[in-house]
């Protein structure tokens, strides 16, 4: 800042040009003066004016020199110094991130109610214990009875699995459900074609009896087949100790029959 001011003053002094023509004119006018009759005395009278003009010119030159010298030797006082305070940068404020709300996982869906679709394999319920009054295997036939696991305290399904190693040309399946209180038919099904059987359901001898009879000219192929009777009953665990089944069949090897009971109800 000091060097800048010094440079400006120096340039201003150097740019100043004294009016030399004006100074010389004044000197000449003083030298010329009015004409006088006596030369000797006129020369004496003009000397003071010439001297004054020379003194004036010398004074102007001296003034200019003093100005230049003053510029060269001038040093600004501390009060002339302008100090600019450094600018403190404002702190940068980082925006606070807005937390993203977390959604709680939806509650698990309630399990679909169990259906009474026909079983596709060997029944998984309790198996009846063979007794002297049952015969679960004979000739090409093998049988097993069970209470369907989807049964409830007011509805049940009795299942019969029949397996044959030979085609059957005659077949009668009978399923007996003892009347333990409010036992009422609600339906039945089999894995064999519907049109191949005549189906009847009736209550007789203290039991609800389901009967499937193979129509003449139809054949049951070798393999495993399912028969089921569905019914309502009095609320509670129903006992099935008095339930039973019987199967009579005819094949190329002759006639065969199997029968048996059901495991405890649920």
């Amino acid at each position: 800042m000091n060097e800048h001011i010094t440079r400006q003053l120096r340039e201003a002094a150097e740019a100043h040009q004294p009016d030399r023509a004006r100074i010389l004119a004044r000197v000449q006018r003083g030298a010329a003066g009015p004409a006088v009759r006596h030369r000797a005395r006129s020369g004496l009278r003009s000397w003071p004016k010439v001297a004054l003009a020379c003194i004036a010119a010398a004074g102007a030159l001296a003034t200019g020199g003093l100005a230049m010298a003053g510029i060269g030797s001038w040093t600004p006082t501390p009060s002339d110094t302008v100090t600019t305070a450094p600018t403190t940068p404002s702190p940068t404020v980082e925006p606070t991130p807005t937390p993203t709300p977390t959604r709680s996982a939806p509650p698990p869906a309630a399990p679909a109610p169990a259906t009474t679709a026909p079983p596709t394999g060997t029944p998984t319920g309790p198996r009846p214990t063979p007794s002297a009054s049952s015969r679960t295997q004979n000739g090409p036939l093998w049988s097993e009875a069970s209470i369907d696991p989807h049964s409830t305290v007011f509805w049940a399904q009795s299942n019969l699995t029949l397996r044959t190693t030979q085609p059957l040309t005659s077949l009668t399946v009978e399923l007996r459900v003892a009347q333990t209180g409010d036992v009422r038919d609600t339906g039945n099904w089999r894995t064999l074609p519907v049109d191949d059987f005549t189906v009847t359901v009736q209550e007789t001898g203290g039991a609800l009896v389901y009967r499937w009879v193979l129509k003449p000219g139809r054949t049951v192929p070798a393999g495993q087949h399912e028969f089921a009777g569905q019914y309502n009953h009095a609320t509670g665990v129903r006992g099935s100790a008095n339930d039973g089944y019987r199967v009579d069949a005819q094949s190329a090897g002759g006639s065969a029959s199997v029968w048996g009971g059901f495991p405890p109800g649920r």
Side-chain angles (χ1 to χ4, degrees):
M1 190 67 166
N2 296 339
E3 293 179 359
H4 178 67
I5 294 174
T6 302
R7 186 173 59 255
Q8 287 184 338
L9 292 175
R10 184 181 293 110
E11 290 176 356
E14 291 176 355
H16 174 73
Q17 298 292 336
D19 192 349
R20 300 179 61 185
R22 185 176 178 181
I23 294 172
L24 291 176
R26 291 180 63 182
V27 172
Q28 290 175 0
R29 284 197 302 270
V36 295
R37 293 179 180 181
H38 304 286
R39 287 185 178 273
R41 296 185 65 179
S42 62
L44 294 173
R45 292 180 177 179
S46 62
W47 167 246
K49 293 182 179 180
V50 173
L52 291 174
C54 292
I55 292 172
L61 294 174
T63 302
L66 291 173
M68 290 299 295
I71 292 173
S73 62
W74 177 82
T75 301
T77 61
S79 61
D80 296 330
T81 304
V82 180
T83 303
T84 303
T87 303
T88 303
S90 301
T92 303
V93 180
E94 295 293 337
T96 303
T98 303
T100 303
T102 303
R103 295 184 179 180
S104 58
T115 60
T116 56
T120 57
T122 303
T124 58
R127 297 187 179 184
T129 302
S131 63
S133 60
S134 66
R135 186 172 71 180
T136 60
Q137 186 172 359
N138 179 237
L141 302 179
W142 175 92
S143 62
E144 182 180 57
S146 65
I147 301 298
D148 193 271
H150 297 115
S151 300
T152 67
V153 295
F154 55 84
W155 177 91
Q157 176 176 295
S158 297
N159 298 327
L160 175 63
T161 301
L162 178 66
R163 187 180 304 160
T164 176
T165 58
Q166 296 179 5
L168 305 176
T169 57
S170 174
L171 178 64
T172 298
V173 177
E174 186 176 278
L175 186 65
R176 299 175 63 87
V177 179
Q179 183 57 261
T180 56
D182 296 333
V183 175
R184 298 290 182 270
D185 170 51
T186 60
N188 65 87
W189 55 265
R190 90 265 345 119
T191 56
L192 292 167
V194 177
D195 295 339
D196 288 358
F197 289 86
T198 299
V199 183
T200 60
V201 181
Q202 61 181 353
E203 188 171 350
T204 180
L208 186 64
V209 180
Y210 295 85
R211 184 178 288 111
W212 294 267
V213 179
L214 184 65
K215 294 179 179 180
R218 307 298 174 89
T219 302
V220 174
Q224 180 172 301
H225 311 290
E226 307 288 339
F227 296 83
Q230 300 171 329
Y231 47 90
N232 288 334
H233 57 78
T235 303
V237 178
R238 178 184 174 276
S240 57
N242 295 325
D243 296 351
Y245 70 92
R246 182 181 177 89
V247 178
D248 297 304
Q250 184 73 36
S251 67
S255 61
S257 298
V258 291
W259 62 85
F262 283 81
R266 48 178 297 175

